[in-house]
Amino acid sequence: MKKKLNRRNKLAGWLIGAVCMMMLGGCGKKQDGTTEAVTTAEPAVVATNADAAQEPDLPMDADGYYITNDYVKTLGETINVRVAASTDADIYKLLPGGEILNRVGYNEEWTKVMVDGSTFYVYSEYVIQTEPPAGTLPDTTEEETPTDTATKSDAEKVKKIVMLDPANQAVVNAEQVEIGPNTDVTKQGASTGNVGTTLGTKESELNLTYANLLKTELESRGYQVLMTRDTDEINLSNKDRALLANDSEATVYVRIQMNFSENSSLTGVMGVCMTPDSEFNSDLYNDSYRLATRLIQGVLDNTACTNQGIYETDQMTAINWSEKPVALIKLGYLSNEEEESKLIDQDYQKEIVQGLADGLDAYYGY
């Protein structure tokens, strides 16, 4: 009898163990059968956006995402980066644990991150807020700005002289020019830009419209404003434009452009600057990143547009040749029907321009 009981106990123990193994085998999988992450690298996954339930004091975009511009680190072994906020959406790529990404929005379930210059989505459970990468200047609030900034004498303040560069032009500059000093790598001098997919809006003309409006607004605030062009009928390479800024008294160089993507659902404002390791002008990175951040924040504060974050690259000729703090601001996507309509609306243009001017005020500390 005792041997039978022992055999029964062993059998029961084996069955319980098998059930436990089956239950554990399902961990990490969503109900639809897809696996968003394998989290063996972290004993406990901390949801970045658990605070979403506490309604953080952040603006929210039209899609229900809190707007932010900070950094998150991926958890686990690998996570899926998807083209849309759905486990049914295509996977753009897999990222290993420990990757640091620029977060531009989040809700309780999904987080918007910048990957390869575009916005993608990762499951919020598998990222956690972290410090910016080394060499990155984080955005600061007005409370963190030195209190003596507003009380500096005029002699101590940086002169508010801005070079505005409406990107593109009516004619192609086919000349091959070096993308930066001391390199043999070349690119086409300048392009005509994109054309809106719905209304046929010409980017070169729209860039100039915004630059002229911003010039008027800045001058009303006491700025001195210079322009690389005041007509669409001009033939300047992007290198020539940067050299104009270098040879001027401008203290910042701001390029204005639209955006375009094969993904017609993308919308929002994006900033572009060099990388912190640029072989051309890395010494300008901190000020350029701060300039781009301030300009984007100004636009976000005055509109309901999406934050596409900061794209850092060393492939932009005008940025590489600049000897002044420089930022390229892409104001919206001509590839999106709704955004193209907004970008040519005069009331929306005023909001954008107000935001850009506010951003420059914040950059200069006024």
Side-chain angles (χ1 to χ4, degrees), residues 51-67:
D51 290 339
Q54 301 176 18
E55 297 186 358
D57 186 19
L58 291 172
M60 185 173 285
D61 66 21
D63 298 322
Y65 288 83
Y66 291 107
I67 298 172

Side-chain angles (χ1 to χ4, degrees), residues 220-237:
S220 73
R221 301 187 185 200
Y223 284 77
Q224 181 180 344
V225 181
L226 309 172
M227 300 266 287
T228 59
R229 67 181 179 101
D230 56 9
T231 176
D232 206 30
E233 302 298 328
I234 198 169
N235 191 1
L236 282 175
S237 72

Side-chain angles (χ1 to χ4, degrees), residues 28-37 80-91 109-110 121-124 126:
K29 292 194 175 183
K30 301 182 68 61
Q31 291 181 355
D32 62 1
T34 62
T35 302
E36 289 306 298
N80 297 328
V81 178
R82 296 186 180 271
V83 299
S86 169
T87 55
D88 295 326
D90 291 339
I91 296 175
E109 186 174 10
W110 292 96
Y121 298 81
V122 297
Y123 207 59
S124 294
Y126 298 114

Side-chain angles (χ1 to χ4, degrees), residues 169 171-177 186-192 235-238:
Q169 55 199 24
V171 295
V172 173
N173 184 311
E175 177 189 3
Q176 290 294 308
V177 299
T186 62
K187 286 175 66 174
Q188 177 179 280
S191 72
T192 58
N235 191 1
L236 282 175
S237 72
N238 290 322

Side-chain angles (χ1 to χ4, degrees), residues 137-356:
L137 183 66
D139 192 15
T140 56
T141 61
E142 291 184 5
E143 288 74 18
E144 296 171 321
T145 303
T147 55
D148 64 341
T149 300
T151 60
K152 288 181 179 178
S153 67
D154 289 340
E156 292 175 303
K157 291 179 179 178
V158 177
K159 291 181 179 179
K160 298 192 297 183
I161 307 176
V162 178
M163 175 65 81
L164 295 181
D165 182 11
N168 309 117
Q169 55 199 24
V171 295
V172 173
N173 184 311
E175 177 189 3
Q176 290 294 308
V177 299
E178 300 87 352
I179 67 169
N182 304 314
T183 181
D184 295 329
V185 180
T186 62
K187 286 175 66 174
Q188 177 179 280
S191 72
T192 58
N194 292 293
V195 176
T197 54
T198 304
L199 302 175
T201 305
K202 294 182 179 180
E203 182 178 6
S204 63
E205 295 178 356
L206 191 58
N207 296 341
L208 183 57
T209 295
Y210 274 96
N212 283 328
L213 291 171
L214 181 56
K215 179 177 186 290
T216 300
E217 176 62 27
L218 290 175
E219 287 176 341
S220 73
R221 301 187 185 200
Y223 284 77
Q224 181 180 344
V225 181
L226 309 172
M227 300 266 287
T228 59
R229 67 181 179 101
D230 56 9
T231 176
D232 206 30
E233 302 298 328
I234 198 169
N235 191 1
L236 282 175
S237 72
N238 290 322
K239 174 184 175 181
D240 292 334
R241 294 163 184 254
L243 295 181
L244 284 174
N246 294 345
D247 292 340
S248 73
E249 294 184 354
T251 49
V252 295
Y253 175 30
V254 177
R255 305 198 74 216
I256 295 174
Q257 195 172 29
M258 302 302 133
N259 217 333
F260 200 91
S261 173
E262 292 181 359
N263 181 355
S264 62
S265 67
L266 288 179
T267 63
V269 61
M270 176 188 292
V272 183
C273 69
M274 73 286 289
T275 70
D277 300 319
S278 170
E279 63 179 293
F280 307 113
N281 47 13
S282 60
D283 58 312
L284 298 175
Y285 172 77
N286 283 348
D287 284 338
S288 296
Y289 184 90
R290 182 165 62 91
L291 175 61
T293 300
R294 295 294 187 267
L295 290 168
I296 286 179
Q297 191 59 53
V299 173
L300 294 175
D301 289 344
N302 282 271
T303 69
C305 72
T306 303
N307 181 4
Q308 291 288 355
I310 307 294
Y311 176 41
E312 299 176 0
T313 178
D314 297 326
Q315 298 301 311
M316 298 285 190
T317 303
I319 291 177
N320 294 342
W321 279 99
S322 181
E323 297 173 359
K324 310 284 177 77
V326 55
L328 167 62
I329 302 299
K330 293 176 175 281
L331 298 178
Y333 285 79
L334 292 177
S335 48
N336 179 274
E337 179 179 358
E338 182 180 354
E339 191 147 87
E340 181 186 1
S341 298
K342 290 171 64 177
L343 287 167
I344 63 175
D345 179 79
Q346 291 185 358
D347 290 335
Y348 187 69
Q349 289 175 350
K350 291 178 182 177
E351 293 175 358
I352 290 278
V353 166
Q354 179 77 26
L356 292 173

